[in-house]
Amino acid sequence: MLKKTLLAITASMAFSSLANADVVLIANSKMPADSLDKTLVANVFLGKAFSTGDGYRLIPVERTKDNPAKEAFHSFVTGKTLGQLNAYWSRLIFTGKNAPPNEIDDDEEVIELVKGNENLIGYIESESLTPDVKVLLTVK
């Protein structure tokens, strides 16, 4: 019994440290903005906005549902749990109004995609950050 309890506590702590890792929103280094407003970012990731106020097009890169960064990002930026986010997109898909952004599994792939396209924005764990992308927003 003690062994199971210790295992559960260890697993909980490991997940907690992942869920509490800093997450950063990144963009191509050529993007003219040095930061983005949290409300704009939320609207982009919810399919409600597609560009900055000055007309610069933004295309979101989403993470897969089992990625801890996704939960941290959406909790901070959109204020939605993963369940609420799934329900939100299900309604939009069912009514034919919109579809969710493409999902990418790992930080390195997000970085590579963002480096290769000036309009993509995505989020990664801050420990994966490389100098060839720009941080627009930090999620804690």
Side-chain angles (χ1 to χ4, degrees):
M1 184 65 167
L2 179 60
K3 201 174 195 180
K4 285 184 181 180
T5 303
L6 287 174
L7 184 59
I9 290 171
T10 304
S12 174
M13 288 172 56
F15 179 74
S16 176
S17 67
L18 281 174
N20 292 328
D22 286 350
V23 175
V24 291
L25 178 73
I26 61 169
N28 187 289
S29 60
K30 295 177 184 173
M31 179 183 223
D34 289 326
S35 66
L36 290 179
D37 177 72
K38 185 170 93 168
T39 301
L40 173 62
V41 173
N43 287 333
V44 169
F45 276 86
L46 294 174
K48 296 178 181 180
F50 304 98
S51 62
T52 61
D54 61 358
Y56 193 85
R57 184 158 168 70
L58 298 173
I59 303 168
V61 175
E62 187 62 87
R63 302 307 296 271
T64 56
K65 66 182 174 201
D66 57 345
N67 188 297
K70 184 172 186 169
E71 183 174 3
F73 177 82
H74 281 284
S75 175
F76 179 79
V77 174
T78 66
K80 293 187 180 302
T81 65
L82 294 183
Q84 292 169 327
L85 188 64
N86 290 336
Y88 172 83
W89 283 113
S90 291
R91 279 191 306 277
L92 290 179
I93 291 168
F94 181 74
T95 59
K97 292 183 179 178
N98 209 340
N102 290 330
E103 292 185 338
I104 304 300
D105 190 41
D106 63 34
D107 289 349
E108 292 76 23
E109 190 174 356
V110 172
I111 291 168
E112 287 304 311
L113 287 170
V114 166
K115 281 180 5 184
N117 186 318
E118 292 182 29
N119 299 105
L120 291 180
I121 57 173
Y123 54 92
I124 59 171
E125 290 187 26
S126 60
E127 62 200 27
S128 299
L129 193 59
T130 62
D132 42 357
V133 293
K134 181 187 287 193
V135 174
L136 299 176
L137 182 70
T138 301
V139 175
K140 293 196 179 211

